[in-house]
Amino acid sequence: MKQPTLQAAQLLKGTLRALGVLLCAVVASSCSKSTDDRFPPYDNTAEVQAYWKSKPRFFQWKTPADLPPDLKWENGASVPEFGDPRAKKGGTFHEWHPSYPPTFRKIGPDASNAFRGEHHDNIEISLVIRHPDEDEWIPGLAKEWAISKDRKTVYYRLQDNLTYSDGKPVMVEDFFMTFFVMTSPHIKDPWYNDWYTKEFAAIAKYDEKTLSITLPEPKPDPLWYADLPASPQHFYRELGPDFPARYQWRITPVTGAYVIDPALLKRGRSITLSRVKNWWARDLKNFRYINNVDFIEYKIVASQDKAFEMFRQGQFDTFLAGLPRYWYDKTEIPEIYHGYIERHKFYNEYPQITWGIRLNESKPPLDNLDVRLGINYAMNFDKVIEVDFRGDKTRMNSTVSGFGKYTNPNLRARPFDPVKAREHFAKAGYTIPGPDGILQNAEGKRLSLTLTTFNTGTVMPIMLRLKEEAKKAGLEMNIEGLDGTQMYKKLDQKKHEMAFAGFGARPPYPRFWDDYHSSNAFKIGKDGKREIVTDTNNMTQTADPALDPLIDKHRLAQTEEEVQKLSWELAKLIEDRASVIPAWESPFYRYLSWRWVQWPKNGNARASREPLDAHMFWIDEDIKRETKEAMKEGKDFGEVTRVFDAYQRK
């Protein structure tokens, strides 16, 4: 599925979450209305039925007798349960977020914002789930599943008593509805339009609990691909031409344990998720020991330093401390010395967020390979890692990092080398130093480019350091700091020259189509001229006829061996283009936590990106009372640093 750039990273949480300054245009209590007086009545029931009937080979209604008799049904019963039986239910977890989201929609314009993970990506439940600690499948919305012999069709039997957060039942037709929603031009989301048009061949209903999903071709593991979210028909009944505006602040019913609580919304100030009452999965294996707190409150705090001080005061329960100044300098405080706040360092195994600089090839002189190569050699990320991160990070060598055997181990990021940078700039015609040392070409054009990035106290010093180092290679970088919403809107419109950003990824396979296929860069307009395609993840505007066929083959690959071979080959070709400059990565994340926040014995889920996304923590109210009494009395628990290294790569 589409991965927003801004999903929780271990070191720049404030930056990643710095999206969404637009506020709810209506009062908080009306944000979840199923109808809105500003919009005329609309009912797409007839359209939906007509859409299904127009594609009889895709949308199929069958009977249980049509199920293949030799199916081998699986249910993950032998896979160990995750979560901790010690977990206690109840309490409110207090967290912060730097800005109010621009929408509560999960699709359409501005939906890929930093808060989406908190109310959707880390909440919603798939048909089946990859166990977060084991490489095995376990039940999700489906209690069992079976794969056809040709590995193109997956059959599912839904859980009993399956309901949305609003109490309405989940029906098989809700999965049919997903295709109506995701392929609709009204959602204004070309990525979903493309994915749901090309990646599925059929969906069939056998009875009220049984369905199948067919892929166009066999896959190495069909369960990764034959997965759909449920789209409640009653909620999307008003989906029409005004979808983005009509649904801007509506709260989507979820199948997961938490939903935005409209009664607790404080417009522009806080968003609270409440645990779904009578949640269908609360007593099931793999769900009973997670999603433990009753409420999760996100207060909006623009400054990371201010958020840290509020955390110190006990207003927030945890604080992501990837940056050295928070992990080292700001922890020289009594709350740490006395053990009221504890340090945690957790080694995870998850594809890395691809922090780096994207060069827009459609903007001259970045259409020149030698200019791009020169910029690669002009970026001193090693100094950033040494000084700004005090050696806690390592250089990322590829945009495909953390995918195990699918990551090409032979790739190396280009090191800082002003001499090589100048050699490539010279090949591009930039040979004449100006009075300030910046190179010019024979026409007097300076080698000057704008780098767009987050206007935060975290990122700006790093970009300014890169700017100063780049001068040694004769390159001028003008740093443009924007708030997150403005920055990503500029990137979506492909109006940037250079941009520092990060994209999240999902295991197990890397995907290249989103970021590098020419169909996500250009299209032929009505006048026959090439036009830029906006609102895609191809931020480099890569349009290479040599890459496209390989990307298409990778997308259709049927074996893991083929996926690995093509992944390595594509990663090398992308490195050769030099349009993405990898920055840094880390095999762990670090956070500070008040001692009443409890974690499983191994710390967290192996396949987690940050502390909260697996919802394995809980609040111990007894320890909370004990801690607050100890603080009043001056009792000392002793300084605590916990290192969870069960999943550290050896």
Side-chain angles (χ1 to χ4, degrees):
M1 299 302 128
K2 189 178 183 183
Q3 295 297 309
T5 13
L6 317 171
Q7 291 199 12
Q10 63 269 30
L11 69 115
L12 295 180
K13 186 173 186 177
T15 294
L16 281 168
R17 292 181 168 179
L19 289 182
V21 295
L22 301 177
L23 304 184
C24 185
V26 290
V27 296
S29 61
S30 69
C31 285
S32 63
K33 283 185 177 180
S34 59
T35 59
D36 192 321
D37 294 339
R38 295 179 300 153
F39 302 101
Y42 195 88
D43 189 330
N44 60 26
T45 302
E47 295 173 53
V48 172
Q49 295 295 327
Y51 176 73
W52 291 346
K53 290 179 181 178
S54 71
K55 300 177 179 292
R57 298 186 65 179
F58 192 96
F59 298 105
Q60 303 173 13
W61 278 262
K62 300 184 177 183
T63 71
D66 296 315
L67 287 167
D70 57 349
L71 290 177
K72 181 182 177 182
W73 291 92
E74 302 178 54
N75 59 16
S78 62
V79 182
E81 182 167 13
F82 70 91
D84 195 319
R86 299 175 302 149
K88 297 180 179 180
K89 301 293 185 183
T92 298
F93 186 86
H94 301 279
E95 176 63 308
W96 71 283
H97 203 276
S99 56
Y100 205 82
T103 182
F104 288 157
R105 283 184 282 97
K106 65 178 183 179
I107 52 176
D110 298 321
S112 293
N113 60 74
F115 196 72
R116 172 185 149 134
E118 315 299 357
H119 74 92
H120 174 68
D121 297 333
N122 299 335
I123 300 296
E124 280 288 54
I125 296 177
S126 305
L127 280 163
V128 291
I129 299 170
R130 198 67 174 177
H131 193 288
D133 293 331
E134 309 285 340
D135 288 326
E136 301 284 351
W137 291 103
I138 56 177
L141 299 180
K143 63 182 178 181
E144 54 185 354
W145 58 91
I147 300 174
S148 64
K149 288 184 178 180
D150 64 3
R151 306 191 68 75
K152 291 173 60 176
T153 301
V154 181
Y155 300 85
Y156 299 99
R157 285 183 177 142
L158 299 181
Q159 298 273 10
D160 300 325
N161 305 314
L162 191 58
T163 59
Y164 294 106
S165 53
D166 60 4
K168 300 290 179 61
V170 177
M171 300 183 290
V172 169
E173 281 83 357
D174 291 344
F175 297 93
F176 285 54
M177 186 67 177
T178 295
F179 290 97
F180 178 84
V181 173
M182 297 302 189
T183 61
S184 171
H186 302 321
I187 68 172
K188 307 298 182 186
D189 202 321
W191 190 93
Y192 283 113
N193 290 167
D194 180 270
W195 182 268
Y196 282 89
T197 298
K198 294 179 179 177
E199 296 299 323
F200 301 92
I203 182 171
K205 175 183 178 179
Y206 297 88
D207 58 32
E208 297 306 319
K209 292 292 183 182
T210 310
L211 71 151
S212 68
I213 297 169
T214 300
L215 306 171
E217 61 281 320
K219 293 291 185 180
D221 187 345
L223 287 169
W224 281 110
Y225 296 88
D227 194 13
L228 288 177
S231 298
Q233 297 170 79
H234 64 281
F235 177 75
Y236 286 109
R237 188 164 290 128
E238 295 178 57
L239 191 159
D242 58 5
F243 170 79
R246 184 183 291 254
Y247 280 80
Q248 185 81 349
W249 298 109
R250 294 191 184 178
I251 298 168
T252 310
V254 299
T255 55
Y258 293 101
V259 66
I260 295 173
D261 193 326
L264 298 176
L265 277 175
K266 296 179 181 178
R267 182 159 51 101
R269 295 163 52 200
S270 69
I271 301 171
T272 298
L273 277 61
S274 62
R275 190 143 53 95
V276 176
K277 294 181 180 179
N278 301 316
W279 184 44
W280 62 270
R282 63 182 181 179
D283 297 320
L284 296 181
K285 178 184 176 182
N286 295 312
F287 294 106
R288 55 186 172 178
Y289 302 135
I290 63 173
N291 304 309
N292 299 304
V293 297
D294 289 334
F295 300 96
I296 305 175
E297 180 195 50
Y298 295 93
K299 284 186 178 178
I300 307 304
V301 181
S303 166
Q304 196 169 6
D305 284 341
K306 180 179 179 181
F308 179 82
E309 291 307 313
M310 293 174 71
F311 164 70
R312 239 191 111 175
Q313 296 165 13
Q315 295 188 52
F316 302 132
D317 293 307
T318 63
F319 189 89
L320 202 59
L323 289 172
R325 68 191 181 101
Y326 291 111
W327 183 252
Y328 300 115
D329 305 339
K330 287 184 173 290
T331 54
E332 298 294 327
I333 54 177
E335 293 86 352
I336 293 284
Y337 298 151
H338 298 313
Y340 308 142
I341 294 174
E342 301 173 344
R343 293 186 183 95
H344 296 258
K345 182 178 182 180
F346 178 78
Y347 285 85
N348 63 340
E349 291 185 20
Y350 206 79
Q352 294 285 316
I353 287 182
T354 55
W355 287 114
I357 296 175
R358 270 78 179 168
L359 308 180
N360 188 340
E361 296 184 23
S362 70
K363 300 283 188 180
L366 296 171
D367 55 348
N368 186 304
L369 175 60
D370 278 304
V371 170
R372 299 198 301 271
L373 285 167
I375 295 172
N376 273 250
Y377 285 115
M379 296 297 103
N380 197 348
F381 276 114
D382 286 336
K383 188 168 185 178
V384 167
I385 291 169
E386 177 187 353
V387 176
D388 295 277
F389 295 121
R390 306 185 197 180
D392 285 348
K393 310 301 174 188
T394 57
R395 184 74 191 271
M396 180 179 281
N397 286 310
S398 164
T399 56
V400 184
S401 182
F403 286 92
K405 66 181 181 181
Y406 304 110
T407 296
N408 188 334
N410 304 313
L411 300 184
R412 293 292 179 271
R414 295 175 179 88
F416 177 64
D417 191 329
V419 174
K420 283 189 177 181
R422 288 177 179 272
E423 289 174 357
H424 284 287
F425 291 147
K427 290 179 183 179
Y430 293 92
T431 57
I432 307 168
D436 57 357
I438 302 303
L439 295 171
Q440 303 176 12
N441 62 17
E443 291 76 36
K445 176 72 174 177
R446 285 165 59 85
L447 186 57
S448 178
L449 294 160
T450 297
L451 174 64
T452 302
T453 190
F454 304 94
N455 186 23
T456 70
T458 297
V459 173
M460 288 299 286
I462 293 173
M463 298 302 107
L464 291 172
R465 187 180 307 284
L466 291 175
K467 172 187 172 79
E468 290 303 309
E469 293 295 303
K471 289 179 180 178
K472 299 175 183 177
L475 169 66
E476 179 181 59
M477 290 199 307
N478 302 304
I479 309 301
E480 178 186 41
L482 302 176
D483 74 78
T485 298
Q486 290 177 314
M487 193 195 83
Y488 276 97
K489 191 171 287 293
K490 184 171 184 174
L491 268 60
D492 280 344
Q493 298 300 310
K494 316 298 177 68
K495 294 181 179 179
H496 62 288
E497 290 183 324
M498 304 168 61
F500 176 82
F503 283 75
R506 179 185 177 187
Y509 313 117
R511 289 211 303 267
F512 297 93
W513 182 86
D514 309 52
D515 294 352
Y516 302 108
H517 199 280
S518 61
S519 63
N520 288 319
F522 298 100
K523 64 181 179 180
I524 303 301
K526 294 180 180 179
D527 58 359
K529 295 181 180 179
R530 194 170 74 161
E531 298 178 356
I532 288 175
V533 177
T534 60
D535 296 314
T536 72
N537 283 353
N538 192 340
M539 302 300 179
T540 59
Q541 284 299 96
T542 298
D544 187 341
L547 275 179
D548 285 351
L550 289 174
I551 291 174
D552 291 336
K553 286 179 65 177
H554 182 273
R555 198 172 180 183
L556 301 174
Q558 299 182 13
T559 66
E560 291 189 351
E561 291 74 21
E562 188 179 7
V563 173
Q564 181 183 32
K565 177 179 178 296
L566 289 168
S567 295
W568 286 26
E569 188 174 354
L570 282 165
K572 180 63 170 67
L573 290 171
I574 290 164
E575 179 198 43
D576 292 344
R577 293 194 69 82
S579 57
V580 180
I581 308 173
W584 54 73
E585 62 182 348
S586 175
F588 57 79
Y589 53 77
R590 301 184 302 210
Y591 56 100
L592 309 174
S593 176
W594 284 90
R595 65 189 296 270
W596 57 72
V597 182
Q598 298 291 291
W599 307 87
K601 63 178 181 179
N602 284 337
N604 214 329
R606 175 176 62 87
S608 62
R609 184 174 276 142
E610 67 166 6
L612 308 185
D613 55 14
H615 288 279
M616 299 177 76
F617 60 91
W618 68 94
I619 301 288
D620 191 311
E621 296 290 352
D622 294 332
I623 295 178
K624 190 170 186 176
R625 284 190 292 270
E626 177 190 48
T627 304
K628 295 201 169 188
E629 285 297 320
M631 292 171 69
K632 292 178 183 177
E633 299 169 0
K635 181 180 177 181
D636 193 320
F637 295 107
E639 190 168 343
V640 176
T641 299
R642 303 187 193 280
V643 178
F644 300 99
D645 58 2
Y647 307 118
Q648 184 177 6
R649 297 170 216 155
K650 306 303 181 184

